[in-house]
């Protein structure tokens, strides 16, 4: 079966409007989570990671070929990330690419309006199709918090099945009153920037972001070291629709199957970029699954302390950052972490470190009992 | 008190969609979670909303719920002491 | 290339349930989806209290799966779920939105919020049938037999799934359309986009 390579990527987030800017901020341990005082989202100040509207509109006006069109904030962020990917890669012909869009709630704020066609997730695919003048409508995946990682897996599978030679995965979600109110009703929102895997954690922080990644069967398109997605798997816990499995079952199965596909053993993994939402049940479940898979000593971080939980974008962004950690041979500190707060040992990265890295495990888990694992590998 | 207990049973059946359960089947001292009515973590969160919405009681720490939702009697006792509506 | 087959299929439309082309249930009285679902639940003789907690979209997807697999002794735990629809979870999204529209009367319900994701249907089906398998939920304007057939075939060919339950589970503004197909290595109807499309349109 043919290999699938990660060629290039682009992130639009509060930590910058390019992957480079984002990665630099992570290297400096700068966080996107701030106190947000925005009555449209919440009646009281809260901690979250939001994209500045003024900055976004400036960037939009400088690249957009349709300045008078009706684009939502999320659509602008997604289109901006794709546009940057295209302008950085003149050889990338979007009209020949399969496109997978990953989002959980899309333009959900629109349901408050009487005319609310944009609240339908498919409308985002239509908007992107129209903007880039594409023949085919992009596919939309909405699979809770694993969407961004699962979309990469699906892109990889589409290439392996020779449905396409190139796929662009686009992920994005907004920080909305809709989702924030729901997580508040779950008593799951942290009163301070979130602290994944830490004893002093008090829940999640939400964030917003968009990102794009280019997957290809052709490694000659790579300028530099070759990074491949060499294994992927997804499995349901079959346990509970909102509570993570107590045994980490689905995540454990996902990791085991992804390792098997990549023909690797757990001790060959150099780094884990975990889901790490900073809710007690999630972090505990992950620690159990990593221990079952023999990965307890592998350096691990969660990027939720930087970005907050960006839902449909999160696992995509975390995979993109994993690629850049491999390219830079650098581990990024799991910001917010002080003292281990899970019952099983995990090796949380407490400060940035230069280290030769070859293989990364990316995992994500979400409502509905879904889990995904990806192996991202630097090939010699 | 007995009235509050009946009211709570009706509300729990309604709010938690316990379609196959009758008011008469819930004993005042029966455990609500675990082997009792088989309620789960979402049900516990839903009961926290019920306390706030119908009785004006806002739990400072959701973990308090575990003790309060032990049985109908414990819940009724807590509500009658702390209710603001 | 290995061949795969559509071994069973079913649909729920207009208070009628069809399995493998035959009408197996018709509800003349129910006016709401909730009542239709409850009637079908009773007729299937399911003892599953969690059913009553589900939102309508999940009830429809859950019941269709029960109809689809009712003749099977058990379903392999590697049976993947590949579902799709147009309206995502908007039916329940609107309920959650109503609970937060008024800041003075602001009581979002966790039991409603948890259903504001379309893939929860697959969680419910997985729990009931102990499927620890691949799940994916896609959104498209109409049922997309080509993509659903292609993606399901990829899962079967690469061994990521032993069987696939795929289809369309849509609910929007009190209108629903549910179609599921069971894909496996055995059967008479070969898995093609044309066949899947024909069965959907039956």
């Amino acid at each position: 079966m043919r290999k699938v390579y990660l060629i290039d990527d682009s992130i639009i987030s509060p930590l910058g409007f390019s992957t480079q800017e984002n990665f630099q901020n992570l290297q400096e341990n700068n966080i996107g989570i701030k106190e947000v005082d925005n009555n449209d989202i919440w009646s009281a100040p809260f901690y979250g990671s939001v994209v500045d509207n003024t900055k976004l509109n400036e960037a939009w006006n400088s690249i957009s070929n349709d300045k008078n069109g009706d684009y939502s904030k999320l659509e602008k962020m997604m289109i901006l990330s794709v546009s940057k990917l295209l302008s950085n890669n003149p050889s990338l012909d979007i009209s020949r690419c399969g496109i997978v869009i990953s989002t959980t709630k899309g333009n959900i704020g629109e349901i408050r309006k009487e005319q609310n066609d944009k609240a339908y997730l498919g409308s985002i695919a239509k908007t992107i199709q129209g903007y880039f003048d594409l023949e085919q409508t992009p596919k939309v995946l909405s699979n809770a918090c694993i969407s961004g990682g699962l979309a990469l897996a699906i892109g990889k599978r589409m290439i392996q099945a020779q449905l396409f030679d190139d796929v662009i995965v686009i992920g994005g979600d907004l920080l909305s009153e809709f989702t924030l109110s729901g997580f508040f009703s779950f008593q799951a929102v942290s009163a301070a920037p979130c602290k994944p895997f830490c004893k002093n954690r008090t829940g999640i922080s939400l964030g917003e972001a968009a990102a794009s990644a280019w997957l290809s069967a052709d490694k000659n398109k790579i300028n530099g070291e070759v990074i491949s997605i060499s294994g992927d798997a997804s499995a349901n816990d079959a346990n509970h629709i909102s509570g993570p499995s107590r045994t980490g079952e689905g995540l454990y199965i996902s990791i085991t199957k992804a390792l098997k596909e990549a023909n690797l053993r757990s001790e060959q993994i150099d780094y884990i970029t975990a889901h790490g939402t900073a809710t007690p049940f999630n972090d505990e479940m992950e620690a159990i699954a990593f221990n079952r898979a023999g990965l307890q000593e592998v350096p691990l971080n969660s990027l939720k302390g930087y970005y907050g939980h960006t839902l449909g974008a999160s696992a995509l962004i975390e995979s993109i950052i994993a690629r850049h950690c491999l390219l830079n041979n650098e581990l990024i500190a799991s910001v917010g972490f002080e003292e281990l707060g899970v019952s099983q040992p995990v090796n949380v990265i407490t400060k940035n470190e230069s280290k030769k890295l070859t293989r990364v495990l990316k995992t994500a888990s979400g409502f509905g009992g879904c889990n995904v694992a990806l192996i991202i590998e630097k090939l010699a | 008190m007995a009235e509050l207990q009946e009211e709570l049973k009706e509300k729990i059946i309604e709010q938690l969609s316990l379609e196959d359960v009758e008011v008469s089947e819930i004993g005042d001292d029966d455990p609500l979670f675990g082997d009792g009515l088989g309620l789960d973590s979402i049900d516990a969160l839903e009961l926290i909303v019920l306390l706030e919405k119908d009785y004006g009681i806002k739990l400072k720490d959701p973990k308090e719920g575990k003790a309060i939702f032990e049985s109908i009697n414990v819940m009724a006792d807590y509500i009658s002491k702390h209710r603001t509506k | 290339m290995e061949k795969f087959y559509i071994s069973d299929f079913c649909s729920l439309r207009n208070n009628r349930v069809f399995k493998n082309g035959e009408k197996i249930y018709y509800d003349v009285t129910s006016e709401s989806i909730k009542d239709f679902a409850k009637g079908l639940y009773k007729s299937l003789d399911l003892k599953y209290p969690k059913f009553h907690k589900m939102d309508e979209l999940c009830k429809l997807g859950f019941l269709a799966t029960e109809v689809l697999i009712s003749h099977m002794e058990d379903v392999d735990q590697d049976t993947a779920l590949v579902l799709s629809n147009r309206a995502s979870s908007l039916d329940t999204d609107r309920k959650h939105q109503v609970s937060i529209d008024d800041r003075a009367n602001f009581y979002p319900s966790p039991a409603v919020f948890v259903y504001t994701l379309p893939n929860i249907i697959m969680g419910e089906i997985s729990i009931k049938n102990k499927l620890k398998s691949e799940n994916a939920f896609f959104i498209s304007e109409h049922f997309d037999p080509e993509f659903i057939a292609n993606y399901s075939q990829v899962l079967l060919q690469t061994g990521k799934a032993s069987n696939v339950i795929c289809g369309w589970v849509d609910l929007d503004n009190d209108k629903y359309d549910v179609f599921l197909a069971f894909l496996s290595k055995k059967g008479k109807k070969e898995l093609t986009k044309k066949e899947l499309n024909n069965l959907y349109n039956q």
Side-chain angles (χ1 to χ4, degrees), chain C residues 7-190:
Chain C
S7 45
D8 295 280
F9 60 100
C10 73
S11 66
L12 273 58
R13 282 168 189 148
N14 303 320
N15 283 12
R16 292 168 177 80
V17 179
F18 288 84
K19 180 171 176 179
N20 295 333
E22 244 176 82
K23 186 157 80 181
I24 58 159
Y25 180 81
Y26 180 31
D27 178 344
V28 278
T29 53
S30 289
E31 286 177 11
S32 71
I33 294 171
K34 192 179 173 185
D35 290 345
F36 164 69
K38 196 170 166 180
L40 179 56
Y41 168 83
K42 281 191 179 151
S43 88
L44 292 171
D45 201 23
L46 298 167
K47 301 269 180 294
Y48 197 68
K50 278 197 193 100
F51 171 79
H52 305 294
K53 294 181 182 249
M54 296 177 198
D55 74 346
E56 313 315 333
L57 182 68
C58 283
K59 282 180 181 169
L60 292 170
F62 174 87
L63 289 170
T65 308
E66 291 304 310
V67 168
L68 185 72
I69 63 172
S70 60
H71 61 291
M72 301 177 195
E73 256 175 43
D74 68 329
V75 181
D76 187 82
Q77 77 163 36
D78 281 331
T79 300
L81 300 172
V82 180
L83 300 185
S84 58
N85 76 10
R86 174 174 180 270
S88 180
S89 55
L90 273 173
D91 188 63
T92 296
D93 293 0
R94 293 184 188 110
K95 290 186 184 120
H96 176 66
Q97 185 60 40
V98 166
S99 75
I100 61 170
D101 268 338
D102 178 5
R103 287 255 166 104
N105 189 22
F106 193 92
Y107 297 106
S109 152
V112 172
F113 180 66
V114 72
Y115 287 102
T116 62
L117 292 163
N119 65 299
I120 302 297
I121 306 174
M122 302 186 297
E124 296 283 15
I125 296 169
S126 300
I127 294 167
K128 169 69 167 56
N129 296 293
K130 302 182 178 66
L131 304 180
K132 296 174 179 176
S133 60
E134 289 279 348
N135 291 181
F137 203 103
F138 296 99
I139 309 290
S140 55
E141 189 65 27
H142 305 284
F143 179 56
D144 183 350
E146 181 171 13
F147 180 68
I148 296 297
N150 278 340
Y151 183 66
S152 299
Q153 192 128 16
V154 171
L155 292 176
L156 292 165
Q157 242 152 28
T158 53
K160 287 189 189 291
S162 54
N163 310 293
V164 176
I165 294 173
C166 72
W168 179 257
V169 184
D170 195 40
L171 166 62
D172 193 18
N173 293 318
D174 296 324
K175 289 202 170 61
Y176 63 93
D177 180 20
V178 181
F179 166 78
L180 293 183
F182 194 91
L183 314 180
S184 69
K185 287 174 186 161
K186 285 185 222 139
K188 292 197 182 87
K189 295 183 173 64
E190 198 183 327

Side-chain angles (χ1 to χ4, degrees), chain A residues 102-167:
Chain A
S102 139
T103 185
T104 64
K105 297 313 301 171
N107 301 311
I108 192 63
E110 297 279 325
I111 60 167
R112 286 177 295 192
K113 296 183 184 164
E114 207 159 301
Q115 187 64 38
N116 56 22
D117 295 351
K118 274 187 181 287
Y120 288 79
L121 296 181
S123 73
I124 298 172
K126 290 276 179 202
T127 303
I128 288 177
Q129 181 181 13
Y131 185 91
F132 293 104
D133 198 18
L134 305 172
E135 221 166 275
Q136 285 196 22
T137 311
K139 308 300 172 201
V140 178
L141 175 77
S142 187
N143 219 94
C145 302
I146 73 164
S147 300
L150 185 59
L152 281 173
I154 288 167
K156 166 182 172 278
R157 294 165 187 180
M158 284 160 66
I159 291 174
Q160 286 182 315
Q162 315 221 357
L163 298 173
F164 294 94
D165 290 328
D166 295 88
V167 167

Side-chain angles (χ1 to χ4, degrees), chain A residues 213-371:
Chain A
W214 173 20
L215 281 65
S216 179
D218 183 2
K219 79 170 168 188
N220 295 320
K221 285 173 178 158
I222 299 175
N223 183 11
E225 284 185 289
V226 178
I227 308 287
S228 154
I229 302 180
S230 53
D232 72 275
S234 173
N236 197 291
D237 287 329
N239 174 60
H240 193 268
I241 53 168
S242 65
S245 157
R246 306 253 170 193
T247 58
E249 187 69 6
L251 182 55
Y252 170 74
I253 294 173
S254 304
I255 293 170
T256 312
K257 287 189 171 174
L259 282 170
K260 193 173 167 208
E261 186 191 343
N263 204 13
L264 293 171
R265 298 180 312 276
S266 52
E267 56 270 29
Q268 290 174 284
I269 297 296
D270 300 314
Y271 159 51
I272 302 169
T273 168
H275 189 49
T277 58
T279 68
F281 288 121
N282 173 79
D283 293 1
E284 179 69 16
M285 179 280 287
E286 286 187 83
I288 290 167
F290 293 141
N291 275 268
R292 281 182 70 186
L295 291 160
Q296 62 275 13
E297 280 160 29
V298 180
L300 159 154
N301 69 7
S302 158
L303 298 179
K304 301 292 189 295
Y306 296 92
Y307 290 103
H309 192 345
T310 58
L311 309 174
S314 66
L316 176 60
I317 290 181
E318 289 150 10
S319 300
I320 292 172
I321 296 302
R323 170 173 173 258
H324 290 269
C325 288
L326 285 174
L327 293 174
N328 286 274
N329 290 302
E330 183 166 6
L331 293 172
I332 302 289
S334 196
V335 77
F337 179 82
E338 290 149 351
E339 197 182 332
L340 194 66
V342 288
S343 71
Q344 309 276 313
V346 281
N347 182 10
V348 182
I349 303 164
T350 53
K351 59 174 194 281
N352 296 6
E353 191 188 327
S354 289
K355 193 182 169 195
K356 188 177 172 300
L357 299 176
T358 310
R359 296 171 201 101
V360 179
L361 169 67
K362 168 69 211 140
T363 65
S365 304
F367 275 177
C370 51
N371 303 271

Side-chain angles (χ1 to χ4, degrees), chain B residues 16-17 19-20 43 45-46 49, chain C residues 38 52-53 107-111:
Chain B
L16 308 184
S17 307
E19 193 92 3
D20 302 329
D43 296 318
L45 293 163
E46 204 59 33
V49 178
Chain C
K38 196 170 166 180
H52 305 294
K53 294 181 182 249
Y107 297 106
S109 152

